[in-house]
Amino acid sequence: MNNYNSLQQITIDLAGDQISCHGLVQHYLLRIESSKKLNAFLEVFADEALLRAKAIDKKIKAGTAGRLAGMIIGIKDNISYHNHLTEAASNMLKGYRPLYSATAVNRLLDEDAIIIGRLNCDEFAMGGSNENSAFGPVLNPYDANRVSGGSSGGSAAAVAAGLCLAALGSDTGGSVRQPAAFCGVFGLKPTYGRVSRHGLIAFGSSFDQIGILSKSVEDGALLLEIMAGKDAHDGTASALSVPPYVEELNPKKKYRIAVIRQCKEAAGLDEEIKELLNDTIAGITADGHTVDIIEFPLLDKMVPAYYVLTTAEASSNLSRYSGLLYGHRTKTISNLDQTISLSRSEGFGKEVKRRILLGTFVLSSGYYDAYYEKAQRVRRMIAEETGKVFEKHDLILSPTTPSSAFPLGSKMDPVTMYLEDIFTVHANLAGVPAINIPAGMHSNGLPLGLQLMTKKFDEVTLLQFAKYILKLTKPITQATV
């Protein structure tokens, strides 16, 4: 069977009776079985997916199938799926089965998507390498000695390796885009509020957004179109109408693009990524678009502000996991304080505990004004300055990551790891949409990515220009599992 790169290819073969949904699921199940070493899937819903595929095949023959018939999708382990294990890759939630599905999941199922399994991730989505999972790291499908990226590393690796056609992830500071860059797939983070967060296990509530990993812009656009929109279960979900993204993928004008000098000339930026960025700028300019190199002096404030604010929100969100009402409970019980302390110490991993402690510290009396309140002011300044850029420009172009995927275990120092987010946290701090574009291959055989950002709720422009940039870049070679 073909290794499909888009739902359109699958739909054509389904219509011509060259394949069936049941056969397609069997194909992906075989690939998952042969790729276990990647550790991308925590659980595969084999029997359930096969039964659903048979039912959808009947709907296709009857002409009643939804828009996602033939879409085989995996979901990150922090996105709720009714009566299925959803553990956020943490021992704290071991055995948890939600009583409802996330709104995004329900909307995909309503259009006949087939969910084939749940995907590994950094514990509670806290990490940039997928080395913080309680179930072990996800390996990069291009090089098993490299990280897949995080926190949605399982989602990125599964799509890149052809274990599913697309996947859902979550993006708090780059957790969709960074692993997408490391694994050579598209990674779309919508505007904050564009997709309901109902059913997404919270990390940083004012930053988190469900995102999409796919092999094509068209699939990302279709999945966004179906998932987006108002939701009575989420007060932060936007009530703005959802554009027909799939119908509006062709650029209709010449664009004005901003490139932040501090990103283009960042210390530590891999020379081949810098060359890729410069070549892309030259191609864009030669094609009649305008590229302006601009100053954005707040770049060095983004990572510190992001980690102050998200750890504070994590401290608050994860306080519910006390071992009394939610989460793991210790077997060593003598008094209330010890029960809570031991339950949390045993249930949470090292990185989650680090972020909870940091967040508790910045929210504590005597430090709140110095850290949390100051970081909120910096966030507002970043959002305002970003808005000013978009008054004159349609998009911001930058690298997605400073380097290609790094070796497993090579960045054990937390600060070094946090600096990997230097280009991605901008979109989350400003609440704007962003996408990783698989834009080329490094001489070391690993994929490279470029990032685009647009103003709030302008995913149409984001998707249009992402598709256009593909014409200027070299194709990504297929991962060898």
Side-chain angles (χ1 to χ4, degrees), residues 302-378:
M302 290 185 187
V303 171
Y306 169 81
Y307 277 98
V308 168
L309 295 173
T310 56
T311 56
E313 293 186 14
S315 173
S316 176
N317 279 324
L318 273 60
S319 64
R320 74 192 73 181
Y321 302 109
S322 61
L324 304 179
L325 293 176
Y326 300 101
H328 165 79
R329 179 181 292 187
T330 184
K331 294 180 180 179
T332 307
I333 298 174
S334 62
N335 59 56
L336 181 63
D337 287 345
Q338 185 189 53
T339 299
I340 294 173
S341 176
L342 287 177
S343 295
R344 290 169 69 80
S345 295
E346 293 167 5
F348 289 131
K350 184 177 179 181
E351 179 61 28
V352 174
K353 285 187 277 194
R354 178 185 290 120
R355 297 196 192 198
I356 290 172
L357 288 169
L358 179 56
T360 304
F361 173 77
V362 301
L363 289 174
S364 62
S365 177
Y367 297 99
Y368 182 93
D369 291 346
Y371 294 102
Y372 182 76
E373 193 172 273
K374 185 177 291 184
Q376 287 284 33
R377 290 199 296 269
V378 171

Coordinates of all heavy atoms in Angstrom, one line a residue, residues 302-378:
M302 N 11.9 37.1 26.3 CA 10.7 36.2 26.1 C 10.8 34.9 26.8 O 9.9 34.5 27.5 CB 10.6 35.9 24.6 CG 10.2 37.0 23.7 SD 9.9 36.6 22.0 CE 9.6 38.2 21.3
V303 N 12.0 34.2 26.8 CA 12.1 32.9 27.5 C 12.0 33.1 29.0 O 11.2 32.3 29.6 CB 13.4 32.2 27.1 CG1 13.6 31.0 28.0 CG2 13.4 31.8 25.6
P304 N 12.6 34.1 29.6 CA 12.4 34.3 31.1 C 11.0 34.6 31.4 O 10.4 34.0 32.4 CB 13.3 35.4 31.4 CG 14.4 35.4 30.4 CD 13.7 35.0 29.1
A305 N 10.3 35.5 30.7 CA 8.9 35.8 31.0 C 8.0 34.6 30.8 O 7.1 34.3 31.6 CB 8.5 36.9 30.1
Y306 N 8.3 33.8 29.8 CA 7.5 32.6 29.5 C 7.6 31.6 30.6 O 6.6 31.1 31.1 CB 7.9 32.0 28.2 CG 7.4 30.6 28.0 CD1 6.1 30.4 27.5 CD2 8.1 29.5 28.3 CE1 5.5 29.2 27.3 CE2 7.6 28.2 28.1 CZ 6.3 28.1 27.6 OH 5.7 26.8 27.4
Y307 N 8.8 31.4 31.1 CA 8.9 30.3 32.2 C 8.5 30.8 33.5 O 8.0 30.0 34.3 CB 10.4 29.8 32.2 CG 10.6 28.8 31.2 CD1 11.1 29.1 29.9 CD2 10.1 27.5 31.4 CE1 11.3 28.1 28.9 CE2 10.3 26.5 30.4 CZ 10.8 26.8 29.2 OH 11.0 25.8 28.2
V308 N 8.5 32.1 33.8 CA 7.9 32.6 35.0 C 6.4 32.4 35.0 O 5.8 31.9 35.9 CB 8.3 34.1 35.2 CG1 7.4 34.7 36.4 CG2 9.8 34.3 35.6
L309 N 5.8 32.8 33.9 CA 4.3 32.8 33.8 C 3.8 31.3 33.7 O 2.8 31.0 34.4 CB 3.9 33.6 32.6 CG 4.1 35.1 32.7 CD1 3.8 35.8 31.4 CD2 3.4 35.7 33.9
T310 N 4.4 30.5 32.9 CA 3.9 29.1 32.7 C 4.1 28.3 33.9 O 3.2 27.4 34.3 CB 4.5 28.5 31.5 OG1 5.9 28.4 31.6 CG2 4.0 29.2 30.2
T311 N 5.2 28.5 34.6 CA 5.4 27.7 35.8 C 4.5 28.1 36.9 O 4.0 27.3 37.7 CB 6.9 27.8 36.3 OG1 7.2 29.1 36.5 CG2 7.8 27.1 35.3
A312 N 4.1 29.4 37.0 CA 3.2 29.9 37.9 C 1.8 29.2 37.7 O 1.1 28.8 38.6 CB 3.0 31.4 37.9
E313 N 1.4 29.2 36.4 CA 0.1 28.6 36.0 C 0.2 27.1 36.3 O -0.8 26.5 36.7 CB -0.2 28.9 34.6 CG -0.5 30.4 34.4 CD -1.0 30.7 33.0 OE1 -1.4 29.8 32.3 OE2 -1.0 31.9 32.7
A314 N 1.3 26.4 36.0 CA 1.4 25.0 36.3 C 1.3 24.7 37.8 O 0.6 23.7 38.2 CB 2.8 24.5 35.8
S315 N 1.9 25.5 38.6 CA 1.8 25.4 40.0 C 0.4 25.4 40.5 O -0.1 24.6 41.3 CB 2.6 26.5 40.8 OG 2.4 26.4 42.2
S316 N -0.4 26.3 39.9 CA -1.8 26.4 40.3 C -2.6 25.3 39.7 O -3.4 24.6 40.4 CB -2.4 27.8 39.7 OG -3.7 27.9 40.0
N317 N -2.4 24.9 38.4 CA -3.2 23.9 37.8 C -2.9 22.5 38.4 O -3.9 21.7 38.5 CB -2.9 23.8 36.3 CG -3.7 24.9 35.5 OD1 -4.8 25.2 35.8 ND2 -3.0 25.5 34.5
L318 N -1.7 22.2 38.7 CA -1.3 20.9 39.2 C -1.5 20.8 40.7 O -1.3 19.7 41.3 CB 0.1 20.5 38.8 CG 0.2 19.9 37.4 CD1 -0.3 20.8 36.3 CD2 1.6 19.5 37.1
S319 N -2.0 21.8 41.4 CA -2.2 21.7 42.8 C -3.3 20.8 43.2 O -3.4 20.2 44.3 CB -2.5 23.1 43.4 OG -3.7 23.6 42.9
R320 N -4.2 20.5 42.2 CA -5.4 19.6 42.4 C -4.9 18.2 42.6 O -5.7 17.3 43.1 CB -6.4 19.7 41.3 CG -5.9 19.0 40.0 CD -6.8 19.4 38.8 NE -6.5 20.8 38.4 CZ -7.1 21.4 37.4 NH1 -8.0 20.7 36.7 NH2 -6.8 22.6 37.0
Y321 N -3.7 17.8 42.1 CA -3.3 16.4 42.2 C -2.6 16.2 43.5 O -1.4 16.3 43.6 CB -2.3 16.1 41.0 CG -2.9 16.4 39.7 CD1 -2.5 17.4 38.9 CD2 -3.9 15.5 39.2 CE1 -3.1 17.7 37.6 CE2 -4.5 15.8 38.0 CZ -4.1 16.8 37.2 OH -4.7 17.1 36.0
S322 N -3.4 16.0 44.5 CA -2.9 15.9 45.9 C -2.9 14.5 46.4 O -2.4 14.2 47.5 CB -3.8 16.8 46.8 OG -5.1 16.3 46.8
G323 N -3.5 13.5 45.7 CA -3.6 12.2 46.2 C -4.8 12.0 47.0 O -5.1 10.9 47.5
L324 N -5.6 13.1 47.2 CA -6.8 13.0 48.0 C -8.1 12.8 47.1 O -8.9 11.9 47.2 CB -7.0 14.2 48.9 CG -5.8 14.5 49.8 CD1 -6.1 15.8 50.6 CD2 -5.6 13.3 50.8
L325 N -8.2 13.7 46.1 CA -9.3 13.7 45.2 C -8.9 13.2 43.8 O -9.6 12.6 43.1 CB -10.0 15.0 45.1 CG -10.7 15.5 46.3 CD1 -11.3 16.9 46.1 CD2 -11.9 14.6 46.7
Y326 N -7.7 13.6 43.4 CA -7.2 13.4 42.0 C -5.8 12.8 42.0 O -5.0 13.1 42.9 CB -7.1 14.7 41.2 CG -8.5 15.4 41.0 CD1 -8.8 16.5 41.8 CD2 -9.4 14.9 40.1 CE1 -10.0 17.1 41.6 CE2 -10.6 15.5 39.9 CZ -10.9 16.6 40.7 OH -12.1 17.3 40.6
G327 N -5.5 11.9 41.1 CA -4.2 11.4 40.9 C -3.7 10.3 41.8 O -4.5 9.8 42.6
H328 N -2.4 10.0 41.6 CA -1.8 8.9 42.4 C -1.9 9.2 43.9 O -1.7 10.3 44.4 CB -0.3 8.8 42.0 CG 0.5 8.0 42.9 ND1 0.5 6.7 42.9 CD2 1.4 8.4 43.9 CE1 1.4 6.2 43.8 NE2 1.9 7.3 44.4
R329 N -2.2 8.1 44.7 CA -2.1 8.3 46.1 C -1.1 7.3 46.7 O -1.1 6.1 46.4 CB -3.5 8.0 46.8 CG -3.5 8.1 48.3 CD -4.8 7.8 48.9 NE -5.8 8.8 48.6 CZ -7.0 8.8 49.2 NH1 -7.4 7.9 50.0 NH2 -7.9 9.7 48.8
T330 N -0.2 7.8 47.6 CA 0.8 7.0 48.1 C 0.2 5.9 49.0 O -0.9 6.0 49.6 CB 1.8 7.8 49.0 OG1 2.8 7.0 49.5 CG2 1.1 8.5 50.2
K331 N 0.9 4.8 49.1 CA 0.5 3.7 50.0 C 1.0 3.9 51.4 O 0.6 3.2 52.3 CB 1.0 2.4 49.4 CG 0.3 2.0 48.1 CD 0.8 0.7 47.6 CE 0.2 0.3 46.2 NZ 0.6 -1.0 45.7
T332 N 2.0 4.8 51.6 CA 2.5 5.1 52.9 C 1.7 6.3 53.5 O 2.0 7.5 53.2 CB 4.0 5.5 52.8 OG1 4.7 4.5 52.1 CG2 4.6 5.7 54.2
I333 N 0.8 6.0 54.3 CA -0.1 7.0 54.9 C -0.1 7.1 56.4 O -0.2 6.0 57.0 CB -1.6 6.8 54.4 CG1 -1.7 6.8 52.9 CG2 -2.5 7.8 55.1 CD1 -3.0 6.5 52.3
S334 N 0.2 8.2 56.9 CA 0.2 8.4 58.4 C -0.5 9.7 58.8 O -1.3 9.7 59.8 CB 1.6 8.4 59.0 OG 2.4 9.5 58.5
N335 N -0.4 10.7 58.0 CA -1.1 12.0 58.3 C -1.4 12.7 57.0 O -0.8 12.3 55.9 CB -0.4 12.9 59.3 CG 1.0 13.2 58.8 OD1 1.2 13.8 57.7 ND2 2.0 12.9 59.6
L336 N -2.2 13.7 57.0 CA -2.6 14.5 55.8 C -1.4 15.0 55.1 O -1.3 14.9 53.8 CB -3.6 15.6 56.2 CG -4.1 16.4 55.0 CD1 -4.9 15.5 54.0 CD2 -5.0 17.5 55.5
D337 N -0.5 15.8 55.8 CA 0.6 16.4 55.1 C 1.5 15.4 54.4 O 2.0 15.6 53.3 CB 1.4 17.2 56.1 CG 0.7 18.5 56.6 OD1 -0.3 18.9 55.9 OD2 1.1 19.1 57.6
Q338 N 1.8 14.3 55.1 CA 2.6 13.3 54.5 C 2.0 12.6 53.3 O 2.7 12.3 52.3 CB 3.0 12.2 55.6 CG 4.0 11.2 55.0 CD 4.2 10.0 55.9 OE1 3.2 9.4 56.3 NE2 5.4 9.7 56.3
T339 N 0.7 12.4 53.4 CA 0.0 11.8 52.3 C 0.1 12.6 51.0 O 0.4 12.2 49.9 CB -1.5 11.6 52.6 OG1 -1.6 10.7 53.7 CG2 -2.3 11.0 51.4
I340 N -0.1 13.9 51.2 CA 0.0 14.9 50.0 C 1.4 14.9 49.5 O 1.6 14.8 48.3 CB -0.6 16.3 50.4 CG1 -2.1 16.2 50.7 CG2 -0.3 17.3 49.3 CD1 -2.6 17.5 51.3
S341 N 2.3 15.1 50.4 CA 3.7 15.2 50.0 C 4.3 14.0 49.3 O 4.9 14.1 48.2 CB 4.6 15.5 51.3 OG 6.0 15.6 50.9
L342 N 4.0 12.8 49.9 CA 4.5 11.6 49.2 C 3.8 11.3 47.9 O 4.4 10.8 47.0 CB 4.4 10.4 50.2 CG 5.3 10.4 51.4 CD1 5.0 9.2 52.3 CD2 6.8 10.3 50.9
S343 N 2.5 11.6 47.9 CA 1.7 11.3 46.7 C 2.3 12.1 45.5 O 2.5 11.6 44.4 CB 0.2 11.6 46.9 OG -0.4 10.8 47.8
R344 N 2.6 13.4 45.8 CA 3.1 14.3 44.7 C 4.5 13.9 44.4 O 4.9 14.0 43.2 CB 2.9 15.7 45.2 CG 1.5 16.2 45.2 CD 1.3 17.5 45.9 NE 1.9 18.7 45.1 CZ 1.3 19.2 44.1 NH1 0.1 18.8 43.7 NH2 1.9 20.3 43.5
S345 N 5.3 13.6 45.4 CA 6.7 13.2 45.1 C 6.8 11.9 44.3 O 7.7 11.8 43.4 CB 7.5 13.0 46.5 OG 7.5 14.2 47.2
E346 N 5.9 11.0 44.6 CA 6.0 9.7 43.8 C 5.3 9.8 42.5 O 5.8 9.2 41.5 CB 5.2 8.6 44.7 CG 5.9 8.3 46.0 CD 4.9 7.5 46.9 OE1 3.8 7.1 46.4 OE2 5.4 7.2 48.0
G347 N 4.3 10.6 42.4 CA 3.5 10.7 41.1 C 4.1 11.6 40.0 O 4.1 11.2 38.9
F348 N 4.7 12.7 40.4 CA 5.3 13.6 39.5 C 6.7 13.3 39.2 O 7.5 12.9 40.1 CB 5.2 15.1 40.0 CG 3.8 15.7 40.0 CD1 3.4 16.3 41.2 CD2 3.0 15.6 38.9 CE1 2.1 16.9 41.2 CE2 1.7 16.2 39.0 CZ 1.3 16.8 40.1
G349 N 7.1 13.5 37.9 CA 8.5 13.4 37.5 C 9.4 14.6 37.9 O 8.9 15.6 38.3
K350 N 10.7 14.5 37.6 CA 11.6 15.5 38.0 C 11.3 16.9 37.4 O 11.4 17.9 38.1 CB 13.0 15.0 37.7 CG 14.2 16.0 38.1 CD 15.5 15.4 37.8 CE 16.7 16.3 38.2 NZ 18.0 15.7 37.8
E351 N 11.1 16.9 36.1 CA 10.9 18.2 35.5 C 9.6 18.8 35.9 O 9.5 20.1 36.1 CB 10.9 18.0 33.9 CG 10.6 19.3 33.1 CD 11.7 20.4 33.4 OE1 12.9 20.0 33.7 OE2 11.4 21.6 33.2
V352 N 8.5 18.1 36.1 CA 7.3 18.6 36.6 C 7.4 19.2 38.0 O 7.0 20.3 38.3 CB 6.1 17.6 36.5 CG1 4.9 18.1 37.2 CG2 5.9 17.2 35.1
K353 N 8.1 18.5 38.8 CA 8.4 19.0 40.2 C 9.2 20.3 40.2 O 8.9 21.2 40.9 CB 9.0 17.9 41.0 CG 8.1 16.8 41.5 CD 8.7 15.8 42.4 CE 9.5 14.8 41.7 NZ 9.9 13.7 42.6
R354 N 10.2 20.3 39.3 CA 11.0 21.5 39.1 C 10.1 22.7 38.8 O 10.3 23.8 39.4 CB 12.1 21.3 38.1 CG 13.0 22.5 37.8 CD 13.9 22.3 36.7 NE 14.9 21.4 37.0 CZ 15.2 20.2 36.4 NH1 14.4 19.9 35.4 NH2 16.1 19.4 36.8
R355 N 9.2 22.5 37.8 CA 8.4 23.7 37.4 C 7.3 24.1 38.4 O 7.0 25.2 38.6 CB 7.7 23.3 36.0 CG 8.8 23.1 34.9 CD 8.2 23.2 33.6 NE 9.1 22.7 32.6 CZ 9.0 22.9 31.3 NH1 8.0 23.6 30.8 NH2 9.9 22.4 30.4
I356 N 6.8 23.1 39.1 CA 5.9 23.4 40.2 C 6.6 24.2 41.3 O 6.0 25.2 41.8 CB 5.3 22.1 40.8 CG1 4.3 21.4 39.9 CG2 4.6 22.4 42.1 CD1 3.9 20.1 40.3
L357 N 7.8 23.8 41.7 CA 8.5 24.6 42.7 C 8.8 26.0 42.2 O 8.7 26.9 43.0 CB 9.8 23.8 43.1 CG 9.6 22.5 43.9 CD1 10.9 21.7 43.9 CD2 9.1 22.9 45.3
L358 N 9.3 26.1 41.0 CA 9.6 27.4 40.5 C 8.3 28.3 40.4 O 8.4 29.5 40.8 CB 10.2 27.3 39.1 CG 10.5 28.6 38.3 CD1 11.5 29.5 39.2 CD2 11.1 28.3 37.0
G359 N 7.2 27.7 40.0 CA 6.0 28.5 39.9 C 5.5 28.9 41.3 O 4.9 30.0 41.5
T360 N 5.6 28.0 42.3 CA 5.2 28.3 43.6 C 6.0 29.4 44.2 O 5.5 30.3 44.9 CB 5.3 27.1 44.5 OG1 4.5 26.0 43.9 CG2 4.8 27.3 45.9
F361 N 7.3 29.4 43.9 CA 8.2 30.5 44.3 C 7.8 31.8 43.8 O 7.7 32.8 44.5 CB 9.7 30.1 43.9 CG 10.7 31.2 44.2 CD1 11.1 31.4 45.5 CD2 11.1 32.0 43.2 CE1 12.0 32.4 45.8 CE2 12.0 33.0 43.4 CZ 12.5 33.2 44.7
V362 N 7.6 31.9 42.5 CA 7.3 33.2 41.9 C 6.0 33.8 42.3 O 5.7 35.0 42.1 CB 7.4 33.2 40.3 CG1 8.8 32.8 39.9 CG2 6.4 32.3 39.7
L363 N 5.1 32.9 42.8 CA 3.8 33.4 43.3 C 3.8 33.6 44.7 O 2.8 34.1 45.3 CB 2.7 32.3 42.9 CG 2.3 32.1 41.5 CD1 1.4 30.9 41.3 CD2 1.7 33.4 40.9
S364 N 4.9 33.3 45.4 CA 4.9 33.4 46.9 C 5.0 34.9 47.3 O 5.4 35.8 46.6 CB 6.0 32.6 47.4 OG 7.3 33.1 47.0
S365 N 4.6 35.1 48.6 CA 4.6 36.4 49.2 C 6.0 37.0 49.2 O 7.0 36.3 49.6 CB 4.1 36.4 50.6 OG 4.1 37.6 51.2
G366 N 6.2 38.2 48.7 CA 7.5 38.8 48.7 C 8.2 38.7 47.4 O 9.2 39.4 47.1
Y367 N 7.8 37.7 46.5 CA 8.4 37.5 45.2 C 7.4 37.7 44.1 O 7.8 37.8 42.9 CB 9.0 36.1 45.1 CG 10.1 35.9 46.1 CD1 9.8 35.2 47.3 CD2 11.4 36.4 45.9 CE1 10.8 35.0 48.2 CE2 12.4 36.2 46.8 CZ 12.1 35.5 48.0 OH 13.1 35.4 48.9
Y368 N 6.1 37.8 44.4 CA 5.0 38.0 43.4 C 5.3 39.2 42.5 O 5.3 39.1 41.2 CB 3.7 38.0 44.0 CG 2.5 38.2 43.1 CD1 1.8 37.0 42.7 CD2 2.1 39.4 42.7 CE1 0.7 37.1 41.9 CE2 1.0 39.5 41.8 CZ 0.3 38.3 41.4 OH -0.8 38.4 40.6
D369 N 5.5 40.3 43.1 CA 5.7 41.6 42.4 C 7.0 41.5 41.6 O 7.1 42.0 40.4 CB 5.8 42.8 43.3 CG 4.4 43.1 43.9 OD1 3.4 42.5 43.4 OD2 4.3 43.8 44.9
A370 N 8.0 41.0 42.1 CA 9.4 41.0 41.5 C 9.4 40.1 40.3 O 10.2 40.3 39.3 CB 10.4 40.6 42.5
Y371 N 8.6 39.0 40.3 CA 8.7 38.0 39.2 C 7.4 37.9 38.4 O 7.4 38.3 37.2 CB 9.1 36.6 39.7 CG 10.5 36.6 40.3 CD1 10.7 36.7 41.7 CD2 11.6 36.5 39.5 CE1 12.0 36.7 42.2 CE2 12.9 36.5 40.0 CZ 13.1 36.6 41.4 OH 14.3 36.6 41.9
Y372 N 6.4 37.5 39.0 CA 5.1 37.2 38.3 C 4.5 38.5 37.7 O 4.2 38.5 36.5 CB 4.1 36.5 39.2 CG 2.8 36.1 38.4 CD1 2.8 35.0 37.6 CD2 1.7 36.9 38.6 CE1 1.6 34.7 36.9 CE2 0.5 36.6 37.9 CZ 0.5 35.5 37.1 OH -0.7 35.1 36.4
E373 N 4.4 39.5 38.5 CA 3.8 40.7 38.0 C 4.6 41.4 36.9 O 4.1 41.9 35.9 CB 3.5 41.7 39.1 CG 2.6 42.9 38.8 CD 2.3 43.7 40.0 OE1 1.3 43.4 40.6 OE2 3.0 44.7 40.2
K374 N 6.0 41.3 37.1 CA 6.9 41.9 36.1 C 6.8 41.1 34.8 O 6.8 41.7 33.7 CB 8.3 41.9 36.7 CG 9.3 42.6 35.7 CD 10.7 42.6 36.4 CE 10.7 43.5 37.6 NZ 12.1 43.7 38.1
A375 N 6.7 39.8 34.9 CA 6.6 39.0 33.7 C 5.3 39.3 32.9 O 5.3 39.2 31.7 CB 6.7 37.5 34.1
Q376 N 4.2 39.5 33.7 CA 3.0 39.9 33.0 C 3.1 41.2 32.2 O 2.5 41.3 31.2 CB 1.8 40.0 34.1 CG 1.4 38.6 34.6 CD 0.5 37.8 33.6 OE1 0.7 37.9 32.4 NE2 -0.4 37.1 34.2
R377 N 3.8 42.1 32.8 CA 4.0 43.4 32.1 C 4.9 43.2 30.8 O 4.6 43.8 29.8 CB 4.7 44.4 33.0 CG 3.9 44.9 34.2 CD 4.4 46.2 34.8 NE 5.7 46.0 35.4 CZ 5.9 45.7 36.7 NH1 4.8 45.5 37.5 NH2 7.1 45.6 37.2
V378 N 5.9 42.3 30.9 CA 6.7 42.0 29.8 C 5.8 41.3 28.7 O 6.0 41.6 27.5 CB 7.9 41.1 30.2 CG1 8.6 40.6 28.9 CG2 8.9 41.9 31.0

